[in-house]
Amino acid sequence: MTHRRRGPGPRRAVAVLFAALLTLLAAAPAHAADYRYWSFWQRGGGGTWAYATQGPSTARPDDGDVDGFRFAVSADAKTAKKPRGTADFATVCADTKAAAGKKRIAVVIDFGTAADAPDGRTPPKPRTACARIDDGGSSADALAAVAKPLRYDNSALLCAISDYPKSGCGEQVSGDKGDRSGRAADEGEGGPSVGLVAGVAAVVVLGAAAVWQARRRRG
């Protein structure tokens, strides 16, 4: 008497498919949202810009330091755009003399490009200025000394420098008409793309079909 070799039962097949589903979801790349905001930078001794690890209100620069601010659309520090130009402290503060109890900070302000401007506005041209502030002053103090009016939100986020932009503050631009990141519209922030969701749906449908076929054969 021969015995027919039986394959995995329908429940096991569905379990395998469900495990594959979880694997797909876990492997789905997360797409960070893009925001339009002022980023804060500090220029090191080698002349390269480094994304500041603290906000301008808490940063305490030394005499001879260079602070930079750039308005642009980006998702995080890795994709943020640096201030343009090669201005250094010696150039920016050449005509500002040292004074007792004071420190001089070179400030570079880059208002960004038309592509990053809100509502198609034309951004002001980049500029530099030398701020002379008290020894205990912050980078925010240096900025206020040379680029008023400034605007902050309730959480102390820098919204505008020299009244640019006139409205908005760190608004999200991914997925809307203002998204200039080049990301496909069907890719939502922080989740799988539509293509992946469709693949997951197909797995679920195939699993249900397998169970139905198995039950039909038994009947």
Side-chain angles (χ1 to χ4, degrees):
M1 182 176 178
T2 60
H3 296 278
R4 182 183 300 176
R5 185 176 180 180
R6 300 180 64 182
R11 291 184 180 180
R12 183 178 178 185
V14 171
V16 171
L17 290 171
F18 184 70
L21 166 64
L22 294 179
T23 301
L24 282 172
L25 289 176
H31 300 290
D34 287 323
Y35 297 86
R36 182 182 289 112
Y37 67 102
W38 280 101
S39 57
F40 174 41
W41 301 78
Q42 295 169 318
R43 175 163 278 174
T48 58
W49 287 112
Y51 198 93
T53 57
Q54 54 187 324
S57 62
T58 56
R60 294 291 187 273
D62 295 323
D63 183 79
D65 283 351
V66 182
D67 285 347
F69 298 86
R70 172 69 188 267
F71 188 76
V73 172
S74 63
D76 51 35
K78 294 181 180 180
T79 60
K81 300 174 183 177
K82 302 176 182 179
R84 294 167 293 175
T86 58
D88 56 14
F89 176 80
T91 302
V92 176
C93 292
D95 299 326
T96 305
K97 297 181 179 181
K102 301 287 184 178
K103 59 183 177 183
R104 296 161 299 166
I105 311 300
V107 181
V108 178
I109 305 171
D110 188 339
F111 295 89
T113 65
D116 290 328
D119 302 326
R121 300 174 187 175
T122 301
K125 294 181 179 180
R127 63 187 182 90
T128 61
C130 186
R132 187 165 59 186
I133 60 176
D134 292 339
D135 278 337
S138 66
S139 292
D141 295 327
L143 181 62
V146 298
K148 289 182 178 179
L150 305 180
R151 179 166 54 86
Y152 292 87
D153 69 359
N154 294 334
S155 59
L157 176 66
L158 180 61
C159 303
I161 297 177
S162 295
D163 203 30
Y164 183 83
K166 292 185 176 297
S167 61
C169 189
E171 64 271 18
Q172 182 177 329
V173 298
S174 291
D176 63 14
K177 294 181 180 179
D179 185 8
R180 297 174 176 85
S181 66
R183 180 173 301 142
D186 65 349
E187 293 180 354
E189 299 110 34
S193 67
V194 167
L196 179 59
V197 172
V200 168
V203 169
V204 174
V205 170
L206 288 173
V211 173
W212 180 81
Q213 287 286 352
R215 289 179 176 177
R216 185 179 181 184
R217 289 172 183 173
R218 287 183 176 181

